[in-house]
Amino acid sequence: MRTRLAATATALALATALTVGAALPTAAATAPASGTPASAAPGVQDILDRLPDDAVAGALIRRDGVGAAAGPVTADARFRIGSVTKLFTNTVVLQLVAEHRIGLDTPARRYVPDVLPEAYGGVTVRQLLDHTSGLPKPAPTPGPADGPGWQLTSVAPEDLLRDSFAAATGVPSPTPADQQYNGLNSLVLGLIVEKVAHRSFADELRRRIIVPLGLRHTSLPAAEDPTIPSPHARVYVDGQDVTEQSPYPWTEGGMISTAADLDRFVSALFRGRLLPPAQQKLVFEVPNVSNGPDNTNCGGPDACYSIGGLLRHQLPNGEYAWGKTGSRPGWDNGVFATRDLRHRMVYSLNPTGVGDVLPYVKALVNAGLAD
């Protein structure tokens, strides 16, 4: 099934297979090798017209409020947004900063002393937000190698943090010199929000963002809730249906949404509807540090993540776009926009597990944000 670009009030989503996390390099897009446009600069519809193919079983885009899809999708399907969740998490934290309930440069351990070891006592909230905290690599999480039912296994944020700190080697630097993208930062931020607000993070998210913006198809399920509201695609990993899976990544990657809702959220965030001016400036503020040696997300020598959690991506014309990628088993997604919202793009792909989907991501984002 292919759908031409047409105005629609609903999101378009897709069926999918395996992916665990995709970065967006800053290099100009090249056409994928199989079933994709021969042109060096394909348009969005050109890419969709050649899908599905061997590498991508389905795709959805929403460009400037106009949606299209390729593959077995429905117009109003929901999908698991993965690390795009981090944008919501950082926004909630910055709202509490604006209310003087969280200090941006306050040591995070002051809020959650039972979560962060003393060795990380100098890590500030700002450093958690912009990934300069120097927290250790996350401990292993459930995956296909764990056998049948792995996708239903939950890991509490406190347990993952404890295991990660226990496995850490070396002494953390009191002043990390680079930016290393790390989901543990978002888990600590979520726990700080709950400690300060005296509510669950999900409640704060609904009260502060979901309800005010009317995001009727957006939610943060409880870790024990593996369901996804209908309608939705059936998704597979290695031939196993993993549509129902634990959303245990929580504030790091557990949310469910639609392209239309993500488009509305990013538009509101960029327009300053969610934060006062002082905190709004931080949404696009990238620390002046180097890109970490293990960080493949930025695609260059310099940091690319802002305090707001946005990834700065340079388009082929030299202009910067801002957004976030995010994946869960079965979904590979992203949302990007020019800072002036002249162009906005939400995408979601369903890789087959054969071949690399990054060229498709680059091609879609670069084409979608081009004039």
Side-chain angles (χ1 to χ4, degrees):
M1 177 179 68
R2 292 192 179 90
T3 304
R4 299 297 297 183
L5 287 168
T8 175
T10 61
L12 301 167
L14 61 148
T16 182
L18 169 64
T19 187
V20 234
L24 183 61
T26 55
T30 56
S34 173
T36 50
S39 167
V44 170
Q45 192 64 53
D46 294 327
I47 300 167
L48 289 179
D49 282 346
R50 288 156 176 83
L51 295 177
D53 67 2
D54 291 343
V56 176
L60 117 90
I61 68 97
R62 186 178 182 86
R63 184 188 189 231
D64 299 341
V66 178
V73 299
T74 60
D76 54 352
R78 292 173 170 89
F79 53 93
R80 301 182 190 273
I81 70 174
S83 287
V84 179
T85 301
K86 292 180 175 69
L87 295 183
F88 291 83
T89 299
N90 283 33
T91 301
V92 170
V93 171
L94 288 175
Q95 288 180 341
L96 287 164
V97 169
E99 295 165 12
H100 306 290
R101 300 172 69 185
I102 292 178
L104 191 63
D105 294 307
T106 299
R109 195 169 187 271
R110 186 174 302 176
Y111 302 105
V112 285
D114 296 334
V115 173
L116 290 173
E118 290 184 9
Y120 295 88
V123 171
T124 65
V125 172
R126 181 193 297 268
Q127 291 174 316
L128 296 173
L129 289 166
D130 67 15
H131 296 287
T132 59
S133 66
L135 295 191
K137 293 180 179 180
T141 53
D146 295 317
W150 62 269
Q151 75 278 9
L152 300 175
T153 304
S154 295
V155 181
E158 296 91 344
D159 292 340
L160 181 56
L161 286 162
R162 185 191 62 246
D163 292 347
S164 300
F165 289 124
T169 58
V171 179
S173 170
T175 54
D178 53 34
Q179 181 180 74
Q180 180 59 57
Y181 181 80
N182 190 337
L184 296 185
N185 293 316
S186 300
L187 298 181
V188 177
L189 290 170
L191 294 171
I192 290 174
V193 169
E194 292 195 332
K195 183 62 69 73
V196 170
H198 305 292
R199 294 187 182 92
S200 72
F201 185 89
D203 285 345
E204 283 296 282
L205 180 66
R206 284 191 293 269
R207 187 173 71 89
R208 292 174 173 275
I209 297 177
I210 292 177
V211 172
L213 294 184
L215 307 182
R216 296 186 298 111
H217 307 296
T218 298
S219 63
L220 177 58
E224 63 272 13
D225 180 6
T227 63
I228 181 169
S230 295
H232 58 74
R234 307 304 306 180
V235 301
Y236 300 86
V237 170
D238 295 340
Q240 179 183 359
D241 188 331
V242 297
T243 306
E244 291 199 347
Q245 57 184 263
S246 171
Y248 73 86
W250 194 45
T251 54
E252 187 268 328
M255 290 179 65
I256 292 170
S257 191
T258 64
D261 274 9
L262 291 180
D263 186 25
R264 182 178 295 184
F265 165 69
V266 167
S267 297
L269 179 63
F270 280 35
R271 290 188 174 117
R273 289 183 55 195
L274 294 170
L275 295 166
Q279 286 68 44
Q280 182 66 21
K281 289 171 60 177
L282 300 175
V283 169
F284 300 95
E285 184 175 307
V286 176
N288 185 24
V289 298
S290 60
N291 185 25
D294 298 326
N295 191 22
T296 60
N297 302 53
C298 296
D302 301 322
C304 68
Y305 282 99
S306 73
I307 295 174
L310 292 168
L311 168 62
R312 182 176 61 190
H313 166 62
Q314 190 168 25
L315 299 169
N317 65 3
E319 181 181 6
Y320 284 112
W322 299 82
K324 187 71 186 71
T325 58
S327 302
R328 288 299 294 148
W331 286 276
D332 193 343
N333 325 292
V335 54
F336 283 86
T338 55
R339 185 164 177 174
D340 61 4
L341 291 176
R342 186 176 71 258
H343 292 302
R344 312 182 311 278
M345 163 69 76
V346 180
Y347 71 86
S348 193
L349 305 178
N350 63 303
T352 63
V354 178
D356 186 4
V357 300
L358 286 180
Y360 297 80
V361 171
K362 293 187 291 184
L364 280 170
V365 171
N366 290 340
L369 300 182
D371 286 323

